[in-house]
């Protein structure tokens, strides 16, 4: 039996990516075990998802801490107490301090609903639609000291259509988030990720030089 990577998932809201990770583990597509789901918000529905699967949960309200650093240290202490090796941010709406990033260097993953480095920050689907890009997507990356700037692990691309709204595009991207986040964690669990500066080398990854995406499609 493959080793189960001990992970901790940090959330602030609905937890749909958390559910995708849970489903992948239960389907035996992901060699991981969620040791803790932690939220900074007591009403985060992701906590219900975790409890439905008998996963340990904790609530740490950031408003009760004097600084970002003291809050992050409290989170770190809980993660370590549960034996967490990889931290997974799944809609955790807080920037991590250098205290956190140093404690789990190259062991924190985040997913962002755009093709980084394009459109970092918030409301990115709206920005993509308004800018008129032909493609958007999502990115799983390691977290560093800068917002949405860590080394990229995996990306998924979706088309942007002329009649798209922010909501339509967000729904299309979310489907891909649920596919690539468990995959990124599995690559880590298999020991296939090596960080080299800004690049993440994926051992055993094949190249397809004929692969291309064109939007709108070429006429046949």
């Amino acid at each position: 039996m493959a080793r189960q990577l001990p992970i901790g998932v940090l959330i602030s809201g609905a937890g749909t990516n958390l559910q995708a990770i849970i489903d992948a583990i239960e389907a035996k597509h992901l060699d991981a075990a969620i040791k803790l789901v932690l939220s900074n918000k007591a009403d985060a529905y992701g906590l219900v998802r975790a409890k439905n699967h008998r996963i340990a949960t904790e609530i740490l309200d950031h408003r009760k801490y004097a600084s970002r650093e003291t809050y992050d240290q409290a989170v770190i202490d809980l993660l370590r107490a549960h034996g967490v090796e990889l931290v997974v941010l799944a809609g955790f709406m807080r920037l991590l301090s250098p205290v956190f990033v140093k404690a789990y260097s190259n062991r924190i993953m985040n997913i962002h609903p755009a093709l980084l480095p394009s459109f970092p920050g918030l409301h990115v689907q709206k920005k993509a639609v308004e800018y008129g890009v032909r493609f958007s997507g999502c990115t799983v990356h390691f977290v560093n000291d800068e917002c949405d700037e860590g080394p990229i692990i995996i990306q998924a691309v979706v088309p942007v259509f002329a009649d798209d709204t922010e909501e339509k595009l967000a729904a299309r991207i979310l489907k891909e988030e649920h596919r690539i986040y468990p995959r990124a964690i599995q690559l880590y669990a298999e020991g296939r990720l090596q960080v080299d500066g800004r690049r993440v080398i994926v051992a055993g990854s094949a190249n397809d030089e004929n692969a291309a995406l064109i939007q709108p499609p070429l006429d046949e």
Side-chain angles (χ1 to χ4, degrees):
M1 181 177 180
R3 172 180 178 268
Q4 303 299 296
L5 173 71
I7 66 175
V9 185
L10 274 53
I11 63 170
S12 295
T16 65
N17 273 301
L18 166 63
Q19 188 66 58
I21 293 166
I22 292 171
D23 292 346
I25 292 172
E26 293 185 349
K28 302 189 183 308
H29 297 153
L30 174 54
D31 298 322
I34 302 175
K35 297 299 184 179
L36 179 67
V37 172
L38 183 145
S39 177
N40 64 316
K41 295 185 177 182
D43 62 351
Y45 186 71
L47 294 170
V48 177
R49 296 180 188 274
K51 291 174 182 176
N52 286 342
H53 294 267
R54 298 180 176 84
I55 297 169
T57 62
E58 291 281 355
I59 301 166
L60 280 188
D61 186 343
H62 59 277
R63 296 171 297 182
K64 296 181 179 179
Y65 290 80
S67 68
R68 187 177 300 276
E69 289 76 14
T70 55
Y71 177 80
D72 283 1
Q73 187 60 57
V75 175
I76 292 166
D77 291 344
L78 273 172
L79 293 171
R80 286 176 172 167
H82 284 81
V84 168
E85 293 184 23
L86 178 70
V87 181
V88 176
L89 308 183
F92 189 60
M93 302 305 292
R94 287 183 57 77
L95 294 176
L96 303 185
S97 70
V99 169
F100 204 139
V101 175
K102 182 178 180 181
Y104 279 92
S105 178
N106 290 333
R107 292 189 294 143
I108 308 170
M109 285 187 187
N110 184 48
I111 191 159
H112 182 74
L115 294 175
L116 293 174
S118 297
F119 306 121
L122 300 174
H123 310 297
V124 296
Q125 299 95 334
K126 182 174 185 291
K127 292 174 184 176
V129 170
E130 291 179 347
Y131 198 91
V133 297
R134 298 299 189 184
F135 290 102
S136 186
C138 46
T139 304
V140 179
H141 63 96
F142 284 118
V143 174
N144 61 13
D145 288 333
E146 304 298 326
C147 178
D148 297 330
E149 289 192 8
I152 292 169
I153 300 167
I154 187 171
Q155 294 181 304
V157 179
V158 302
V160 181
F161 302 125
D163 62 349
D164 262 340
T165 62
E166 175 185 2
E167 293 75 19
K168 286 181 180 179
L169 179 58
R172 194 175 306 124
I173 292 172
L174 189 61
K175 290 180 181 179
E176 301 307 314
E177 290 183 38
H178 296 166
R179 296 175 65 197
I180 69 170
Y181 215 173
R183 180 57 179 164
I185 299 168
Q186 179 63 20
L187 290 171
Y188 185 97
E190 293 173 1
R192 293 175 59 189
L193 302 181
Q194 177 186 348
V195 179
D196 181 12
R198 281 220 46 83
R199 301 175 64 214
V200 177
I201 310 302
V202 182
S205 179
N207 296 329
D208 182 356
E209 295 186 2
N210 295 316
L213 299 172
I214 301 173
Q215 175 65 21
L218 298 177
D219 294 333
E220 294 295 338

